Amino acid sequence: MDKTLQLIQHLYDERDGLDLDDALQQEYDDLNAVKGVLDRREPASPDPEVVDRVVTAAGRATAHGSQSEPERRREERPARARDTQTDARLLRRAGATLALVLIAALGWWQWSEPTSSSTPPAVSESAPQSFDAAAPESESARRSAGTVRSVSDLPDWDEGDDVVRLHQRIEILNARSTASQWGSSALLQTTGQQRP
Amino acid sequence: MNPSDEDLVTAYLERDDEQAFRRLVERHQDRIFGYLMGMVKDRATANDLFQETFMRVINAMRDGSYTHRGKWLSWVMRIARNAALDHLRKQKKWADVPQDEEEGRSFWDTLETEEPAADEQLHRAEQRDWLDAHIDRLAPEQREVLLLRQDTDLTFREIADLQDVSINTALGRMRYALKNLRKMIEESGKTSLAGDVDPQ
């Protein structure tokens, strides 16, 4: 090893008995002067609260010795990081809930759309005839038939497909419920006539 | 009788002795914190890194990762160094930036005098800041060896292991650190450093 390097070890008491010539002795004195300045440098200490927190964490680690490593890490994470993670978790949950609601709404819309668009025209065309022919004596059936018939009498400005379909659907449901209330004879005859 | 580091480690691990761990921390806190302060140059950050270091130390000790029997401080210093380097890399501050120097002030003016005790602490803190400003101007690898040897009292062999370099490299860095520091102090002050270090 180079003598100048051995000199550094000698300076820090890691090597004894080093023979120094004049040049090395001069370098030793120069470096020792700097070391003396560094040795007098005031030590820096951490804040007492930080030391207390560390010791508390050490105590908690012994109390929770049975905890798994991820659990311990979660517990010892700084409060700031924990808040951020909680916020992120809440946001994720809210997002997932919103997505579920949207999917459910979309599914309901998809399911209800074909039913409302296909059923009414078939029934609406046959319903007025069947009610007229099969149950002339039923007041409620007559009233329903009259109402259904009135769909075709809707004014021009109110003939939007959706509105008409919705209206027809309501009237059909109304007729069905009325028929079953009175023994469902009208409806039974109606469905019988609808068969090919 | 003063228990060794290993006695305290054993007391903490085997008997859950929290006070033993406190003694370990208090025994070495200045060394570890001094190194961190020298590396990051900010007290609040050094406090954060000190806490982070010990959180890692506690976890590693509890899960049995501490296997460096007899070398607890050098093991902790490795963790502290990793924490400091992680921080500096995140901040992209591993490259050194020269600090502003105070104008017209001799180094010898900052050394201890017979001032009243009430001012002594502040005076010493100023001295440290002044000297740290010079240390900060050293090349990073030289500064780190100097901080590790001066503040943490690790041997050059331990420092070489920590930095994953040969002992000759560690010694060479220390030599240049001392020589450069001497040069900086001489250039900044009116008094020559040659000869006696006593400022009086």
Side-chain angles (χ1 to χ4, degrees):
Chain A
M1 186 187 285
D2 190 331
K3 278 223 164 189
T4 56
L5 300 183
Q6 291 178 358
L7 185 75
I8 301 297
Q9 286 182 306
H10 182 56
L11 188 65
Y12 281 89
D13 298 327
E14 291 185 24
R15 178 182 287 269
D16 294 326
L18 189 65
D19 289 332
L20 302 173
D21 58 23
D22 288 348
L24 275 179
Q25 185 63 52
Q26 181 61 50
E27 181 164 344
Y28 179 86
D29 291 341
D30 290 350
L31 298 185
N32 194 35
V34 182
K35 182 178 179 290
V37 170
L38 289 167
D39 287 346
R40 283 200 297 274
R41 188 159 144 264
E42 183 79 355
S45 301
D47 292 346
E49 310 87 78
V50 175
V51 175
D52 287 344
R53 276 203 293 273
V54 164
V55 175
T56 304
R60 216 170 41 227
T62 59
H64 297 256
S66 58
Q67 278 184 330
S68 66
E69 182 64 9
E71 283 172 329
R72 269 211 304 272
R73 284 188 181 160
R74 205 177 308 127
E75 206 165 87
E76 286 158 7
R77 203 172 286 141
R80 200 169 37 182
R82 189 184 308 220
D83 288 347
T84 313
Q85 207 197 28
T86 308
D87 290 348
R89 203 181 300 133
L90 283 174
L91 272 175
R92 275 201 301 274
R93 281 184 187 167
T97 310
L98 189 64
L100 276 175
V101 168
L102 281 172
I103 289 166
L106 193 67
W108 179 83
W109 179 76
Q110 290 273 359
W111 174 81
S112 64
E113 183 62 20
T115 333
S116 61
S117 60
S118 61
T119 315
V123 181
S124 67
E125 282 173 14
S126 59
Q129 296 161 9
S130 63
F131 281 129
D132 284 344
E137 72 284 0
S138 167
E139 184 59 32
S140 60
R142 261 201 305 277
R143 209 167 36 233
S144 300
T147 323
V148 173
R149 207 179 294 125
S150 70
V151 169
S152 58
D153 299 328
L154 283 170
D156 289 343
W157 51 266
D158 203 11
E159 280 186 347
D161 284 346
D162 289 338
V163 176
V164 170
R165 273 200 299 273
L166 185 62
H167 187 76
Q168 286 170 345
R169 189 168 171 75
I170 289 167
E171 291 305 327
I172 289 159
L173 288 171
N174 190 27
R176 280 180 185 166
S177 62
T178 309
S180 61
Q181 189 180 354
W182 289 93
S184 71
S185 59
L187 185 62
L188 283 171
Q189 286 173 12
T190 303
T191 42
Q193 283 187 6
Q194 277 179 327
R195 284 184 191 138
Chain B
M1 184 183 159
N2 210 15
S4 69
D5 287 355
E6 284 313 306
D7 292 339
L8 295 172
V9 168
T10 303
Y12 172 63
L13 288 180
E14 293 180 6
R15 298 193 295 277
D16 292 344
D17 186 347
E18 190 180 319
Q19 288 312 309
F21 193 82
R22 179 180 283 279
R23 287 187 72 176
L24 263 179
V25 175
E26 288 177 348
R27 180 180 287 177
H28 297 297
Q29 62 178 14
D30 290 355
R31 294 187 173 110
I32 298 163
F33 188 78
Y35 166 76
L36 292 170
M37 266 289 282
M39 291 295 280
V40 300
K41 307 163 200 166
D42 176 74
R43 187 170 177 82
T45 308
N47 270 317
D48 285 349
L49 291 176
F50 182 87
Q51 185 174 329
E52 186 184 330
T53 297
F54 273 100
M55 291 306 172
R56 292 186 194 181
V57 165
I58 292 163
N59 284 335
M61 286 174 77
R62 299 308 304 186
D63 70 15
S65 303
Y66 171 60
T67 54
H68 298 60
R69 295 282 168 191
K71 293 182 176 177
W72 188 80
L73 178 61
S74 58
W75 176 70
V76 173
M77 283 313 303
R78 183 177 293 275
I79 295 173
R81 181 174 188 256
N82 287 340
L85 294 187
D86 284 351
H87 170 80
L88 292 171
R89 285 183 192 121
K90 273 185 209 160
Q91 303 292 311
K92 297 186 168 108
K93 282 183 181 170
W94 188 220
D96 248 4
V97 180
Q99 303 242 331
D100 292 335
E101 284 185 58
E102 292 178 70
E103 291 293 330
R105 191 174 180 205
S106 162
F107 171 73
W108 303 118
D109 295 339
T110 69
L111 292 176
E112 288 180 66
T113 60
E114 297 299 321
E115 290 179 31
D119 294 336
E120 195 174 312
Q121 201 174 351
L122 178 65
H123 180 67
R124 285 185 178 180
E126 283 174 355
Q127 276 181 34
R128 184 185 170 103
D129 289 347
W130 194 88
L131 191 52
D132 283 352
H134 290 295
I135 294 172
D136 289 347
R137 291 173 58 204
L138 293 170
E141 63 276 6
Q142 291 174 20
R143 187 178 72 220
E144 191 181 22
V145 175
L146 186 138
L147 290 169
L148 286 168
R149 191 62 190 84
Q150 280 291 145
D151 288 347
T152 71
D153 224 17
L154 295 183
T155 64
F156 286 111
R157 170 67 64 194
E158 288 169 328
I159 293 169
D161 288 345
L162 192 65
Q163 292 190 321
D164 201 19
V165 295
S166 70
I167 188 169
N168 281 5
T169 302
L171 287 166
R173 286 173 176 175
M174 187 65 182
R175 179 168 175 258
Y176 279 108
L178 292 173
K179 284 172 82 93
N180 289 334
L181 193 58
R182 177 184 172 83
K183 195 177 169 191
M184 280 187 267
I185 291 172
E186 276 184 341
E187 284 173 357
S188 68
K190 293 168 189 167
T191 312
S192 169
L193 245 175
D196 198 352
V197 286
D198 190 351
Q200 302 303 316

Short mmCIF file of all heavy atoms in Angstrom, two decimals, chain B residues 5 7-13 15-26:
data_model
loop_
_atom_site.label_atom_id
_atom_site.label_comp_id
_atom_site.label_asym_id
_atom_site.label_seq_id
_atom_site.Cartn_x
_atom_site.Cartn_y
_atom_site.Cartn_z
N ASP B 5 -23.20 -3.11 21.79
CA ASP B 5 -24.33 -3.01 20.86
C ASP B 5 -25.04 -4.36 20.74
O ASP B 5 -26.27 -4.43 20.73
CB ASP B 5 -23.83 -2.60 19.46
CG ASP B 5 -23.43 -1.13 19.42
OD1 ASP B 5 -23.63 -0.44 20.44
OD2 ASP B 5 -22.93 -0.68 18.38
N ASP B 7 -25.20 -6.77 22.91
CA ASP B 7 -25.99 -7.07 24.12
C ASP B 7 -27.36 -6.39 24.03
O ASP B 7 -28.39 -6.98 24.37
CB ASP B 7 -25.26 -6.56 25.37
CG ASP B 7 -23.99 -7.34 25.65
OD1 ASP B 7 -23.88 -8.49 25.15
OD2 ASP B 7 -23.09 -6.81 26.35
N LEU B 8 -27.34 -5.13 23.58
CA LEU B 8 -28.60 -4.38 23.49
C LEU B 8 -29.50 -4.95 22.39
O LEU B 8 -30.72 -5.03 22.57
CB LEU B 8 -28.29 -2.90 23.22
CG LEU B 8 -27.55 -2.17 24.36
CD1 LEU B 8 -27.11 -0.77 23.93
CD2 LEU B 8 -28.42 -2.08 25.61
N VAL B 9 -28.89 -5.33 21.29
CA VAL B 9 -29.67 -5.94 20.20
C VAL B 9 -30.34 -7.23 20.71
O VAL B 9 -31.53 -7.46 20.48
CB VAL B 9 -28.76 -6.25 18.98
CG1 VAL B 9 -29.48 -7.15 17.99
CG2 VAL B 9 -28.32 -4.97 18.31
N THR B 10 -29.57 -8.03 21.42
CA THR B 10 -30.11 -9.28 21.96
C THR B 10 -31.25 -9.01 22.95
O THR B 10 -32.28 -9.69 22.93
CB THR B 10 -28.99 -10.08 22.66
OG1 THR B 10 -27.93 -10.29 21.71
CG2 THR B 10 -29.49 -11.43 23.14
N ALA B 11 -31.04 -8.01 23.80
CA ALA B 11 -32.08 -7.68 24.79
C ALA B 11 -33.37 -7.25 24.09
O ALA B 11 -34.47 -7.62 24.51
CB ALA B 11 -31.59 -6.56 25.71
N TYR B 12 -33.22 -6.51 23.03
CA TYR B 12 -34.42 -6.05 22.30
C TYR B 12 -35.10 -7.22 21.59
O TYR B 12 -36.32 -7.38 21.66
CB TYR B 12 -34.03 -4.96 21.32
CG TYR B 12 -35.17 -4.56 20.40
CD1 TYR B 12 -36.34 -3.98 20.91
CD2 TYR B 12 -35.09 -4.78 19.03
CE1 TYR B 12 -37.39 -3.63 20.09
CE2 TYR B 12 -36.14 -4.42 18.19
CZ TYR B 12 -37.28 -3.86 18.73
OH TYR B 12 -38.33 -3.52 17.92
N LEU B 13 -34.30 -8.02 20.91
CA LEU B 13 -34.90 -9.08 20.09
C LEU B 13 -35.43 -10.25 20.92
O LEU B 13 -36.48 -10.80 20.61
CB LEU B 13 -33.87 -9.60 19.08
CG LEU B 13 -33.53 -8.67 17.92
CD1 LEU B 13 -32.50 -9.30 17.01
CD2 LEU B 13 -34.78 -8.31 17.12
N ARG B 15 -35.84 -10.28 24.46
CA ARG B 15 -36.66 -9.98 25.65
C ARG B 15 -37.59 -8.80 25.41
O ARG B 15 -38.17 -8.28 26.37
CB ARG B 15 -35.73 -9.69 26.84
CG ARG B 15 -34.84 -10.88 27.21
CD ARG B 15 -34.17 -10.69 28.57
NE ARG B 15 -33.21 -9.59 28.59
CZ ARG B 15 -31.96 -9.68 28.17
NH1 ARG B 15 -31.50 -10.84 27.71
NH2 ARG B 15 -31.15 -8.66 28.22
N ASP B 16 -37.69 -8.39 24.16
CA ASP B 16 -38.57 -7.27 23.80
C ASP B 16 -38.29 -6.03 24.66
O ASP B 16 -39.21 -5.30 25.03
CB ASP B 16 -40.05 -7.66 23.94
CG ASP B 16 -40.46 -8.70 22.90
OD1 ASP B 16 -39.70 -8.87 21.93
OD2 ASP B 16 -41.51 -9.32 23.07
N ASP B 17 -37.01 -5.82 24.97
CA ASP B 17 -36.63 -4.71 25.84
C ASP B 17 -36.55 -3.41 25.02
O ASP B 17 -35.55 -3.13 24.35
CB ASP B 17 -35.26 -5.03 26.47
CG ASP B 17 -34.85 -4.00 27.51
OD1 ASP B 17 -35.48 -2.92 27.56
OD2 ASP B 17 -33.89 -4.27 28.25
N GLU B 18 -37.61 -2.63 25.15
CA GLU B 18 -37.70 -1.38 24.38
C GLU B 18 -36.61 -0.38 24.81
O GLU B 18 -36.07 0.36 23.99
CB GLU B 18 -39.09 -0.79 24.61
CG GLU B 18 -39.44 0.37 23.71
CD GLU B 18 -40.85 0.88 24.00
OE1 GLU B 18 -41.76 0.05 24.22
OE2 GLU B 18 -41.03 2.10 24.01
N GLN B 19 -36.29 -0.38 26.11
CA GLN B 19 -35.27 0.55 26.61
C GLN B 19 -33.88 0.20 26.06
O GLN B 19 -33.04 1.09 25.87
CB GLN B 19 -35.25 0.54 28.14
CG GLN B 19 -36.45 1.23 28.77
CD GLN B 19 -36.75 2.60 28.15
OE1 GLN B 19 -35.86 3.47 28.04
NE2 GLN B 19 -37.98 2.80 27.71
N ALA B 20 -33.66 -1.05 25.82
CA ALA B 20 -32.38 -1.45 25.21
C ALA B 20 -32.27 -0.85 23.81
O ALA B 20 -31.20 -0.36 23.41
CB ALA B 20 -32.27 -2.97 25.14
N PHE B 21 -33.38 -0.87 23.11
CA PHE B 21 -33.37 -0.28 21.77
C PHE B 21 -33.16 1.23 21.86
O PHE B 21 -32.43 1.82 21.06
CB PHE B 21 -34.68 -0.59 21.04
CG PHE B 21 -34.61 -0.29 19.58
CD1 PHE B 21 -34.05 -1.18 18.69
CD2 PHE B 21 -35.08 0.92 19.09
CE1 PHE B 21 -33.96 -0.88 17.35
CE2 PHE B 21 -35.00 1.23 17.74
CZ PHE B 21 -34.44 0.32 16.87
N ARG B 22 -33.78 1.86 22.85
CA ARG B 22 -33.58 3.30 23.03
C ARG B 22 -32.10 3.61 23.27
O ARG B 22 -31.55 4.56 22.72
CB ARG B 22 -34.42 3.82 24.20
CG ARG B 22 -34.23 5.31 24.46
CD ARG B 22 -35.06 5.82 25.61
NE ARG B 22 -36.45 5.99 25.26
CZ ARG B 22 -36.94 7.05 24.60
NH1 ARG B 22 -36.14 8.03 24.23
NH2 ARG B 22 -38.21 7.13 24.32
N ARG B 23 -31.45 2.80 24.07
CA ARG B 23 -30.02 3.03 24.34
C ARG B 23 -29.19 2.90 23.07
O ARG B 23 -28.24 3.66 22.85
CB ARG B 23 -29.51 2.04 25.39
CG ARG B 23 -30.01 2.37 26.79
CD ARG B 23 -29.35 1.49 27.82
NE ARG B 23 -27.93 1.84 28.04
CZ ARG B 23 -27.17 1.26 28.94
NH1 ARG B 23 -27.67 0.32 29.72
NH2 ARG B 23 -25.91 1.62 29.09
N LEU B 24 -29.56 1.93 22.26
CA LEU B 24 -28.85 1.76 20.97
C LEU B 24 -28.99 3.00 20.11
O LEU B 24 -28.01 3.50 19.55
CB LEU B 24 -29.46 0.58 20.21
CG LEU B 24 -28.82 -0.78 20.29
CD1 LEU B 24 -29.63 -1.78 19.48
CD2 LEU B 24 -27.38 -0.74 19.80
N VAL B 25 -30.24 3.49 20.01
CA VAL B 25 -30.50 4.67 19.17
C VAL B 25 -29.75 5.87 19.72
O VAL B 25 -29.07 6.59 18.98
CB VAL B 25 -32.02 4.96 19.09
CG1 VAL B 25 -32.27 6.24 18.32
CG2 VAL B 25 -32.75 3.80 18.44
N GLU B 26 -29.86 6.08 21.03
CA GLU B 26 -29.23 7.27 21.62
C GLU B 26 -27.70 7.19 21.56
O GLU B 26 -27.04 8.20 21.43
CB GLU B 26 -29.72 7.43 23.07
CG GLU B 26 -31.17 7.90 23.11
CD GLU B 26 -31.76 8.03 24.51
OE1 GLU B 26 -31.12 7.54 25.47
OE2 GLU B 26 -32.85 8.60 24.62
#
